[in-house]
Amino acid sequence: MADNDTRAEPAAPPSEARRPRPGQAVARAAESWVAAFRRRLGAGEVGKLPAVLVLAAVWITFQSLNENFLSPRNLSNLSVDIVGTGLIAVGLVFVLLLGELDLSVGSISALAAAVFAVLNVNNGVPEWLALIIGVLAGTVAGTVQGFSFARTRVPAFVVTLAGLLTWNGLMLYVLGTSATVNLDENGLVAKLTSHYFTNDAAAYGLAAVGVGLVFLMSCLDRRRRKAADMPHRSLRETAVRTGGLAVIAFASAYLLNRFQGLPLALLIFLVVVAVLDVILRRTHYGRQVYALGGGVEAARRASLSVARVRTAVLAVSGTMAAIGGLFLASRITSVSQGSGSSILLLNAIAAAVIGGTSLFGGRGTTWSAVLGMLVIQSIASGMAITDTPAAVQFMITGGVLFAAVVIDSLSRRSQEAHGRA
Amino acid sequence: MPAPPLLALHGVCKRFGVVEVLTDIELEIRAGQVVALLGDTGAGKSTLVKLISGVAPADKGVIEWEGGTVQIRRPHDARDLGIATVYQDLALCGNLDVVGNLFLGREIRRFGFLDEMEMERRTRHLLERLTKDVPDLRARVVSLSGDQRQTVALARSLLGDPRVLLLDEPTAALGIDQANEVLDLVDELRDRGKGVLLISHNLGDVKALADRAAVLRLGRNNGFFDVNTAPQETILSSITGATENVPRRTAAPDAGW
Ligand SMILES: Nc1ncnc2c1ncn2[C@@H]1O[C@H](COP(=O)(O)OP(=O)(O)O)[C@@H](O)[C@H]1O
Ligand SMILES: [Mg+2]
């Protein structure tokens, strides 16, 4: 897997007689990192690099056009704005890993929001219960589609195209005569995106816990590998890697604390992405998803239950779409007939692909959804801040998506050529 | 009475649509025996392998495992019996790394999560026994050379300690050194009491290695040979069809009304 952090690097050289200075240590670690990266580039694995470069370019451009772009306030808002669509994109990553597409996520997100709104606001069902039922509506819709896809062998994009219309119709039916339902401004769902942990400790705590966990896991893994005489990273490299992560985490925490603190929405988003990432890359279930993306027939011959995995993947996608839909509704504290528009679906797909998940299946992680959403939302926010018309925003996002698809396709071809050698 | 064969097929048929690709196939594989499956391209050798491994199950006929009738309806069934296969097209997942491919469908877990280290350790152990050219275990299989992929597929078939191995042209894509490594391995497997079905176009290898040969021609049995005694020409002519050893059903009387 592209981002397998247990990737076998050459074992650390025997400890030198003379202790290297810290500066040297960093340089050496960076060197080995660059070497490993070159090898992967050569094998056609570009991973997240293009998206990171684009993000940097976008931020530099807009910051030079308007100095408020990188202000704590704008970045904090950005971090909340990416959550709704981002959660939908995370679910789509699962589907893309199979080499399939789920076109129904926009409709499902709107359906879930409508179910919640009508139950809670119009019928007085307690918020927590309505919330659960809304999410379950997405799970059920996804499972139905997954089952049809797995059993009929009609491509997922066709099944979910039918779903797109069906769920959209169902949403309009659920909303009935009410064109727009306004949510309780102080309710649970509204709080999802309006609540901030104003105490500085929250953001720093999250950064510390995240970095600490990563460091702990890599140290434990390293110790086990060393004990078993297996190739492992040098302590220095582990430290530099975690250090890099720490810089990003604490800088973000610092910025967030300079506005209103850690947004609840961002906390939930990061936790969900991290948990799903572990499920995809570290569990039997996730391994099956990747295997199907690499070749359905090969997976079948390895005794995997293709139908079950397919059903489960679309169920995940439907569930994530529903959760994302509730966050989107929360952001504007209302649900209307226009919710879940097609631009939402396109943005979610674009986010996953721009972040480095392959359209051909088998390559990508949930973090690509975060990265891709950051790119898309940064463009949108920069455009808004500089008063650029929406037309230009669409064209630029389209251009970035096109570039991402081209890179995806080129890297795939380069990999195959590499293999033929 | 001798022990029943590990695996036996009786009157097995397979059709794809209207085409009957395999007709009334008989086959026996005994423990500690290498059976060569010979036949021209298109004779149905690979189809027979897929039939036994549950990828393309039989339409008719009986499959016996150690004397008892069994059903092989899907790959899972074959694996549970102890049948492992190296397919002609290898059937690897190109996007997974070497370790991922070896353990696909039977990952080792630790606290519920994949135990990458243990799987990597065993993979290394296995591959080092098989070949001198051990690939990067964390490289995606798509980026490996043909030789290396073949080795990976072979290693995967050995992983679950199977009792019968079906090897569909395991040496076809290999250089001489590597091919010899594989042939040595087959020899070793026989000594360890495994049953091996080996498909190969190289009659020299078959002569050197196999105990028995079963010839397929146009989807039917066309003779069984004791490789050590049967002259090569006889086997060859059976493959090309110069001799038809099929016990022909005499034309039914009603054919001449
Ligand atoms: N899935 C399939 N559908 C239809 N015909 C097939 C299929 N697989 C194999 N065949 C046919 O079965 C015959 C035997 O093929 P195969 O078993 O691959 O031969 P061999 O391995 O001996 O070269 C060929 O004529 C081939 O065209
Ligand atoms: Mg064949």
Side-chain angles (χ1 to χ4, degrees):
Chain A
M1 245 140 286
D3 306 277
N4 209 325
D5 18 340
T6 58
R7 188 179 176 96
E9 303 295 349
S15 61
E16 296 102 313
R18 176 178 59 88
R19 277 193 146 263
R21 274 171 294 130
Q24 247 179 343
V26 173
R28 194 107 33 95
E31 228 167 74
S32 88
W33 186 81
V34 168
F37 187 74
R38 280 235 180 106
R39 202 179 48 201
R40 275 162 63 173
L41 267 193
E45 286 182 29
V46 291
K48 299 187 176 55
L49 182 72
V52 172
L53 293 181
V54 169
L55 188 61
V58 169
W59 282 16
I60 291 169
T61 311
F62 284 119
Q63 178 65 12
S64 63
L65 291 175
N66 185 324
E67 62 205 17
N68 284 329
F69 182 75
L70 289 181
S71 66
R73 178 196 187 84
N74 197 42
L75 288 178
S76 178
N77 284 335
L78 193 71
S79 78
V80 178
D81 283 334
I82 62 171
V83 175
T85 316
L87 286 166
I88 300 175
V90 169
L92 268 173
V93 167
F94 281 66
V95 185
L96 287 169
L97 282 176
L98 293 186
E100 301 281 345
L101 263 183
D102 183 347
L103 301 182
S104 70
V105 288
S107 295
I108 291 184
S109 75
L111 174 65
V115 167
F116 167 81
V118 168
L119 283 179
N120 175 240
V121 179
N122 296 5
N123 294 299
V125 175
E127 263 203 309
W128 63 270
L129 185 59
L131 188 88
I132 292 176
I133 295 175
V135 173
L136 283 182
T139 312
V140 170
T143 310
V144 168
Q145 294 181 148
F147 199 76
S148 323
F149 164 50
R151 295 291 154 189
T152 60
R153 303 194 188 186
V154 175
F157 86 90
V158 181
V159 171
T160 54
L161 184 60
L164 183 155
L165 293 170
T166 313
W167 313 130
N168 197 43
L170 191 57
M171 178 206 68
L172 295 177
Y173 180 79
V174 167
L175 278 182
T177 49
S178 40
T180 302
V181 182
N182 290 311
L183 306 182
D184 175 5
E185 298 271 349
N186 297 310
L188 185 67
V189 165
K191 285 249 167 64
L192 283 177
T193 53
S194 67
H195 185 76
Y196 288 75
F197 299 98
T198 43
N199 192 331
D200 279 7
Y204 288 128
L206 177 64
V209 168
V211 173
L213 271 180
V214 168
F215 187 65
L216 183 70
M217 293 317 283
S218 28
C219 281
L220 285 180
D221 183 59
R222 186 178 166 274
R223 221 178 57 186
R224 237 185 117 216
R225 284 174 166 268
K226 205 170 164 186
D229 211 11
M230 297 277 293
H232 55 270
R233 288 210 178 101
S234 67
L235 198 56
R236 194 190 297 149
E237 198 190 337
T238 314
V240 170
R241 274 169 170 269
T242 330
L245 179 66
V247 169
I248 296 174
F250 282 97
S252 312
Y254 172 75
L255 276 170
L256 291 172
N257 280 339
R258 286 194 44 209
F259 185 55
Q260 293 183 350
L262 175 67
L264 173 65
L266 182 64
L267 172 68
I268 295 175
F269 187 39
L270 292 180
V271 169
V272 167
V273 169
V275 167
L276 291 180
D277 182 52
V278 169
I279 288 178
L280 268 183
R281 297 198 298 140
R282 295 277 177 267
T283 68
H284 176 60
Y285 165 76
R287 183 55 52 86
Q288 297 187 65
V289 174
Y290 279 103
L292 251 66
V296 174
E297 182 57 20
R300 191 173 79 87
R301 292 192 196 172
S303 306
L304 303 196
S305 168
V306 175
R308 206 180 309 160
V309 178
R310 286 179 162 170
T311 310
V313 161
L314 283 190
V316 167
S317 167
T319 308
M320 293 309 297
I323 298 175
L326 289 166
F327 274 86
L328 289 170
S330 161
R331 193 76 171 132
I332 52 173
T333 58
S334 73
V335 178
S336 72
Q337 293 180 344
S339 298
S341 66
S342 59
I343 199 70
L344 172 61
L345 164 69
L346 297 183
N347 272 342
I349 296 176
V353 175
I354 289 173
T357 293
S358 172
L359 278 170
F360 302 105
R363 271 191 302 152
T365 69
T366 50
W367 292 102
S368 64
V370 182
L371 194 52
M373 262 328 284
L374 270 178
V375 171
I376 291 179
Q377 202 60 46
S378 296
I379 295 174
S381 151
M383 295 285 172
I385 241 176
T386 54
D387 282 330
T388 321
V392 180
Q393 178 196 329
F394 287 161
M395 287 192 278
I396 290 184
T397 309
V400 173
L401 175 60
F402 179 70
V405 173
V406 169
I407 290 172
D408 179 21
S409 156
L410 285 182
S411 82
R412 180 184 153 91
R413 253 199 275 167
S414 139
Q415 265 200 349
E416 278 165 3
H418 195 77
R420 253 182 260 122
Chain B
M1 206 183 95
L6 264 180
L7 180 75
L9 310 188
H10 299 297
V12 166
C13 301
K14 177 73 198 173
R15 69 173 55 244
F16 288 115
V18 294
V19 193
E20 191 151 58
V21 177
L22 293 174
T23 314
D24 289 336
I25 298 295
E26 304 282 325
L27 187 74
E28 280 188 3
I29 303 172
R30 292 178 178 277
Q33 197 181 52
V34 176
V35 178
L37 183 61
L38 306 174
D40 251 347
T41 304
K45 306 181 296 294
S46 296
T47 307
L48 186 58
V49 163
K50 287 181 192 160
L51 184 148
I52 301 173
S53 62
V55 170
D59 304 319
K60 263 198 296 190
V62 178
I63 301 179
E64 287 177 3
W65 181 260
E66 296 188 306
T69 306
V70 290
Q71 298 285 336
I72 302 181
R73 302 262 109 223
R74 42 191 195 132
H76 203 100
D77 300 337
R79 193 168 85 183
D80 285 353
L81 287 173
I83 299 173
T85 312
V86 175
Y87 296 97
Q88 191 167 9
D89 61 7
L90 305 183
L92 299 170
C93 286
N95 65 324
L96 296 185
D97 59 24
V98 175
V99 180
N101 267 286
L102 248 70
F103 282 88
L104 185 57
R106 52 188 157 183
E107 291 85 0
I108 301 175
R109 288 174 236 189
R110 187 166 173 261
F111 312 126
F113 297 100
L114 301 183
D115 187 350
E116 291 287 352
M117 194 213 83
E118 182 60 21
M119 291 195 280
E120 188 176 319
R121 201 175 63 77
R122 293 196 198 177
T123 304
R124 178 172 304 283
H125 189 70
L126 190 55
L127 282 174
E128 275 170 357
R129 267 181 38 211
L130 284 184
T131 175
K132 288 185 280 297
D133 171 33
V134 177
D136 175 2
L137 300 187
R138 290 298 169 187
R140 292 166 187 272
V141 161
V142 71
S143 69
L144 301 186
S145 72
D147 285 16
Q148 290 173 326
R149 280 185 230 190
Q150 187 81 52
T151 311
V152 171
L154 196 61
R156 180 168 75 173
S157 73
L158 297 176
L159 195 64
D161 199 26
R163 301 183 60 196
V164 167
L165 281 117
L166 314 174
L167 309 178
D168 196 347
E169 306 202 16
T171 56
L174 299 184
I176 291 185
D177 285 351
Q178 238 109 14
N180 283 334
E181 280 174 1
V182 171
L183 297 176
D184 288 345
L185 174 76
V186 172
D187 212 24
E188 187 195 321
L189 289 171
R190 178 206 353 243
D191 293 344
R192 278 167 38 201
K194 315 278 183 200
V196 180
L197 184 72
L198 175 70
I199 299 181
S200 171
H201 284 292
N202 187 328
L203 273 189
D205 291 349
V206 170
K207 264 279 198 224
L209 202 59
D211 303 295
R212 294 178 55 71
V215 177
L216 286 189
R217 178 158 172 75
L218 304 177
R220 292 171 179 272
N221 285 116
N222 199 31
F224 296 93
F225 301 92
D226 183 332
V227 176
N228 297 315
T229 56
Q232 189 150 329
E233 298 72 43
T234 319
I235 300 180
L236 205 58
S237 60
S238 162
I239 293 172
T240 56
T243 55
E244 299 271 333
N245 291 329
V246 185
R248 290 237 158 251
R249 283 190 201 100
T250 42
D254 59 352
W257 48 274

